[in-house]
Structure formats: structure tokens, C-alpha cells
Amino acid sequence: MLRNPILPGFNPDPSICRVGEDYYIATSTFEWFPGVQIHHSRDLVNWQLAARPLTRASQLDMRGNPDNCGIWAPCLTFADGLFWLVYTDVKRNEGNFKDTHNYIVTAPRIEGPWSDPVRVNSSGFDPSLFHDDDGRKWFVNMVWDQRKMPTAFAGILLQEYDPVEKRLTGPVRNIFKGTERGLVEGPHLYKRNGYYYLLTAEGGTGYRHAVTLARSKRLTGPYEVHPDKHVVSSLTFPDNPIQRAGHGDIVETQTGETYLVHLMGRPVPGLNRCQMGRETAIQKCVWGEDGWLRLEGTPLEPQQTVKAPGLPLHPFPAEPVRQDFDDGKLPSAFQWLRSPEPKRLFSNTARKGHLRLFGRESLGSYFEQALVARRQTHYHYQAETSVDCDPETFQQTAGLIAYYGRFQFFYLAVSWGEKIGKCLTMMACPGSFPSGDLTFPLDTPVPLSSSGPVRMRVETEGLALRFSYAEDGGGWTRIGPVFDATVLSDEAGRGEHGNFTGAFVGMHAMDLTGQAWVADFDYFAYQDLP
């Protein structure tokens, strides 16, 4: 059986692609670098991170991008012996305007090398590329109308793409305005039995989300809407643990079965807060005699367990609980914020067996933060690290952080106090958008008795998030209050339509003196708690 989510934690806006016996899902990474996350499977059951293609400044530079901007809704396809990856780099996401720059990169293999980007247009987000069976290529994206007449989601644009000239050509057509659910976005085109099928997302990425299907005998339309309008949505199933179902893509297996991957969220019952952020689910589908796609079993309602395809199981090795930074490489689970210049933020080789962070700008900076973290993928987890540093001013901190965004985090750090010297401090920002007021949960900083490393631990159990520390090989000591873990969710900040990412846990260093003070982390461990 397939159990949802198949990609837990922050893995939204899935685009799926099959090449022979291999399946790939590309998901949004927003302000986290490198850009776009691609997982690989051979059975649709087991998935492993295979690549993050946007690794250099020529492809992506998000310094200055606000939270929840950056990479939105990539589309991954394969044609002409190449992988084609289409993505948006969103530079603004507040007010009436959105600056949405759309690009294409290609590669002969999923591991790369990936090309420098071709800038395609900026008329809206959620672009995708359709390869027609006559060899022509077509670019679609939603169009953003800053006038909001009557809505900013003004339809789906279609234009031909010339792969030789590497530009759009010919007329621009608005081929679909959506249904009364509204907020049409996330388009994907397919061709089947003489029809062009257009799959879109509607209702916004919150609790009214849906996957909508339409078709036409002509690529340019007009498009007839599915008799049920939507293929999947949780709107009328409020008790289903899978909520926010929408934004999907279709794949056909080599044995002729059809599956739909889609975005989902798992809210805490009664709170409507999704600590895991927006995740990826899968549903088995069937094509009816009327030529329309529906979920197998109960139409429209997303299922937690789904019949797996008739393919041999292909498991991958489990991710190690503990990462010791011994091989000089950053483990694949980790990302950092915005910058294509990681050497300014961290080093895997400056101190053997350690990850060295160079303290940079303030926690919450849009430009250059030394924050290296991994996704939270379980509701109950424990993360641990050891930091070795010698701060000389209160403006230098390094430690363990549970992080969602610049207004949503909990941070235990080594710092320095004028009266007590080296000490532990805590900082928190419990979703106080837009003020972003920082709180200091400890009544007074805790003096450290040793100049050596300090171990730090964070645990979540249900709604509770707690920190502990240990020094000189001693036992663990609780520190600080019990925090509300659900603060690290979309809904706790600017709401389901303002926040789009997910919770991370990781290592952070800050030096507000501008001297790039260093902090060394010996290991990082993450494990699920039963």
C-alpha cells in the first residue's frame, strides 16, 4: 500500500515525471537553497532525494527575497533526451504586485549537469512546459492581474516555446479562466485519445484547495470542465486527516495505471495548524468510459492509504540518525537560506569533523544568514547538536534553532553577557507578524561553567516543544519554557495564504559585529520519537 504523505514535511506543489522505470517528483523550495527538490522512486512507494538542481548564482540568487518567495511550483518533464525543469523565482509577494520571473533549465540526467537558465517571461507564476506529439512545445502559466478585476488570478496563459531560439513565440492566449472555486493556478497539460487535458489548482492553497480538470479537442480551447469539476479536494470532508488537497500532476505507470500526486496538509485536530507544512500525497485514479479522470474508490476524497502499482518494491537505505560531518560534505538533508555563496556561510573542511558556521546577519535577514537546517518530517521528533564557540559580545550567538520563518522560531544559543561571560540565552518569535517582536524566554541568561562545547537538544511531543542542554559530558538539563510547537506552521503566521513553507530544525550562527565570528558544530542528529 501507499501511505500518505509519500513526501512528508515541507514538500509542496508536486510535479511528477516518469522516464522508463524511474519516477521523479519535483517540489517547491521557496527561499531555501539550493533550489527545487527532486525525489526519485521506482515503485511510487519508496522515495529518496535525488537532486536539487539550482545550485549556482547564474541559476538562482534569492538574496533579498522575502519569506515565502523564491522557488514556486516547478514543473519537471522529459523530452528529446533531456529533463526540462521550469520554475518561478518570486521576488515580491505582498500587496497587489507580484514579481514572478519564469525560467527553464535542462539536463541529460537528473543529477545534472543542469544548464544555465533561459528566462521565459514574468506574467505570472506556476509555469509548466507541454511537449506535444508533433514536436512543438507550449508554455503555460497563470497570469497575475494586479488590478484584481475581479480577481488577481486571471486565467491560464498559453504560448508556444521555441527551443532553438530559446524564447516564446506567437500569440499569447488565455485558455482557461477556471470555475467558481476561483484562484486558478498550477496548470499542467496532457494529451490523451485526441483530447488536450488541462489540470489546474483552484481555491487557493488553504482549506478550499482543489484539483480541477478540463479538456478540449483543440490546444487553444475552448476547454470543457469536468462534470464533477474537481478531481480531488478536502473541502467537503472536514474530518479527513488530509486537508488542503490540491495542486496536482498525473503520471501513468509502465503497466498502464494512473496516479495523481497532489499537495496536502495534516492539521492538528481542532487547531487547523499544519506543523509539517504542505506535503506531497498520491492517489490512484481511473479513466472512466466518458473519458474523464476520477479517484479510484470514493470520488473527490483524498485517501490516507492507496493501492500501490504492480511494480517490484525498490526500497532505499534509511537516512542515518546522526550526521558527523566527517567526509567534508554537507549531508543532503540540509539546506540554507537564499544565498548562492555557501562558502560565506559555512565550511565543511575548516575544522576536521565539524561544520563551521560563519556568523553573518541577524536572524530574519533577507540577505545573508548562517542557518543550516533540515526539514521537520515527524510530529514527534528529537534533534541534537554540539556547538563549540567562544563569543566575545552579546552580538554573537550560535546554537540550535527550530525555525519556520523570520517571525516564527525558537532558538537556544551560546552567547556572552557583560556580567557573566559565556552563557546560554534563548530567543523566540512566536508568530507575531507583522511586528516581528523578539522575546527572551529566560528570566536571565544561564552561565556556562566551561569554555568547552555545549550539547543542545530540542524535542517536540504533540503540541509541546522543549529545549535541553548539557556541558562537560554531564546529563541533560531542561531550559526555558514549554513552547507551542504549532507556532511553526503556515497558519500560525500570516495564515494559509500568506505562509507556504514548513518547519525546519538546524544550526545557526549570528555575528552582528560584522566580523564573521565562527562556531563549530560537531554533529547533528534527528530522529522520530514513537
Side-chain angles (χ1 to χ4, degrees):
M1 298 294 287
L2 294 162
R3 300 190 182 278
N4 284 316
I6 54 170
L7 300 181
F10 166 44
N11 278 289
D13 311 322
S15 170
I16 191 165
C17 170
R18 179 174 72 86
V19 182
E21 297 179 347
D22 294 293
Y23 297 83
Y24 301 97
I25 291 179
T27 53
S28 301
T29 44
F30 289 80
E31 64 262 34
W32 291 89
F33 201 96
V36 180
Q37 195 151 260
I38 299 178
H39 283 83
H40 169 234
S41 177
R42 286 202 157 190
D43 55 16
L44 297 182
V45 177
N46 300 285
W47 294 87
Q48 183 181 57
L49 183 63
R52 292 195 187 100
L54 308 179
T55 60
R56 57 189 189 269
S58 63
Q59 297 169 320
L60 182 65
D61 187 345
M62 298 183 290
R63 286 173 292 191
N65 285 21
D67 282 3
N68 302 293
C69 291
I71 298 298
W72 286 19
C75 172
L76 182 68
T77 55
F78 185 84
D80 310 322
L82 291 173
F83 287 96
W84 300 72
L85 180 66
V86 186
Y87 62 95
T88 308
D89 179 10
V90 179
K91 298 297 186 184
R92 174 175 173 165
N93 183 37
E94 294 176 347
N96 281 46
F97 292 105
K98 277 185 172 61
D99 294 307
T100 58
H101 307 315
N102 295 320
Y103 301 90
I104 295 175
V105 292
T106 59
R109 294 171 292 116
I110 205 71
E111 300 84 6
W114 288 87
S115 69
D116 280 341
V118 175
R119 182 164 175 176
V120 183
N121 68 12
S122 299
S123 56
F125 49 86
D126 292 4
S128 78
L129 192 63
F130 170 61
H131 310 271
D132 208 343
D133 52 17
D134 62 1
R136 298 171 75 180
K137 301 184 186 301
W138 299 86
F139 195 85
V140 288
N141 61 270
M142 68 81 66
V143 58
W144 182 261
D145 187 345
Q146 74 275 7
R147 302 168 300 173
K148 299 188 176 182
M149 299 173 55
T151 172
F153 292 74
I156 304 301
L157 298 187
L158 171 77
Q159 191 174 11
E160 187 169 3
Y161 178 74
D162 186 331
V164 176
E165 296 291 331
K166 296 184 177 180
R167 63 180 180 86
L168 296 175
T169 183
V172 182
R173 297 180 174 91
N174 193 326
I175 60 172
F176 187 62
K177 296 291 186 69
T179 73
E180 66 274 11
R181 183 70 65 97
L183 309 181
V184 63
E185 57 186 339
H188 292 286
L189 278 165
Y190 318 88
K191 195 172 187 180
R192 176 185 171 89
N193 296 336
Y195 280 100
Y196 291 95
Y197 287 86
L198 176 64
L199 195 75
T200 62
E202 288 194 292
T205 195
Y207 291 84
R208 292 179 52 81
H209 214 191
V211 172
T212 302
L213 188 63
R215 72 181 182 186
S216 173
K217 286 284 188 179
R218 292 164 48 91
L219 179 64
T220 55
Y223 280 81
E224 167 197 9
V225 176
H226 193 301
D228 304 333
K229 293 185 182 175
H230 313 299
V231 179
V232 64
S233 178
S234 304
L235 180 61
T236 54
F237 307 100
D239 297 326
N240 192 319
I242 296 176
Q243 290 296 311
R244 306 176 68 176
H247 199 119
D249 196 5
I250 298 168
V251 69
E252 186 172 292
T253 70
Q254 58 268 43
T255 55
E257 298 175 277
T258 302
Y259 285 83
L260 168 77
V261 293
H262 65 87
L263 181 157
M264 63 165 278
R266 289 180 285 168
V268 175
L271 283 182
N272 279 357
R273 288 186 174 184
C274 301
Q275 288 169 258
M276 300 300 105
R278 301 181 306 153
E279 307 171 284
T280 288
I282 194 167
Q283 308 294 333
K284 194 172 191 302
C285 299
V286 292
W287 290 96
E289 293 183 0
D290 59 358
W292 289 105
L293 188 75
R294 294 177 176 87
L295 299 188
E296 185 177 78
T298 305
L300 198 62
E301 183 176 11
Q303 302 299 309
Q304 291 183 275
T305 58
V306 177
K307 183 180 177 181
L311 300 173
L313 287 177
H314 188 88
F316 296 101
E319 179 187 337
V321 169
R322 177 173 166 134
Q323 306 281 1
D324 284 302
F325 307 124
D326 289 334
D327 62 0
K329 298 178 181 177
L330 187 69
S332 61
F334 291 90
Q335 288 180 274
W336 59 95
L337 288 169
R338 295 180 176 86
S339 175
E341 297 188 37
K343 291 181 180 179
R344 288 184 51 82
L345 306 181
F346 61 86
S347 171
N348 303 295
T349 58
R351 180 177 174 185
K352 185 174 176 59
H354 290 73
L355 179 68
R356 171 165 289 181
L357 297 191
F358 303 104
R360 293 295 179 186
E361 293 178 342
S362 64
L363 184 58
S365 168
Y366 286 154
F367 291 87
E368 196 169 50
Q369 275 197 69
L371 195 167
V372 177
R374 55 151 294 151
R375 282 158 178 73
Q376 178 184 341
T377 51
H378 305 86
Y379 272 99
H380 313 285
Y381 80 89
Q382 176 180 285
E384 180 184 325
T385 191
S386 174
V387 57
D388 189 6
C389 60
D390 289 301
E392 298 176 346
T393 167
F394 67 91
Q395 292 183 304
Q396 296 168 339
T397 64
L400 179 63
I401 188 165
Y403 182 89
Y404 181 96
R406 65 195 301 256
F407 298 128
Q408 295 162 262
F409 59 81
F410 304 109
Y411 183 29
L412 173 63
V414 176
S415 189
W416 183 90
E418 291 88 340
K419 295 182 179 180
I420 58 175
K422 187 175 179 181
C423 60
L424 286 174
T425 186
M426 296 188 84
M427 304 178 200
C429 198
S432 54
F433 180 86
S435 64
D437 290 338
L438 193 64
T439 65
F440 298 88
L442 299 181
D443 292 333
T444 58
V446 175
L448 290 168
S449 60
S450 161
S451 61
V454 180
R455 289 183 292 149
M456 299 179 175
R457 175 184 288 174
V458 62
E459 296 175 335
T460 64
E461 300 176 62
L463 308 185
L465 185 148
R466 301 177 177 90
F467 283 96
S468 305
Y469 78 98
E471 55 177 329
D472 294 331
W476 290 99
T477 300
R478 292 280 191 195
I479 185 171
V482 177
F483 295 107
D484 178 1
T486 69
V487 163
L488 307 180
S489 66
D490 292 354
E491 299 91 335
R494 292 182 292 182
E496 65 203 64
H497 293 131
N499 282 351
F500 311 122
T501 57
F504 282 69
V505 60
M507 300 154 284
H508 182 271
M510 177 171 66
D511 184 2
L512 302 183
T513 72
Q515 303 305 305
W517 166 79
V518 302
D520 293 329
F521 293 82
D522 183 33
Y523 65 90
F524 192 91
Y526 176 97
Q527 62 180 324
D528 180 22
L529 294 178

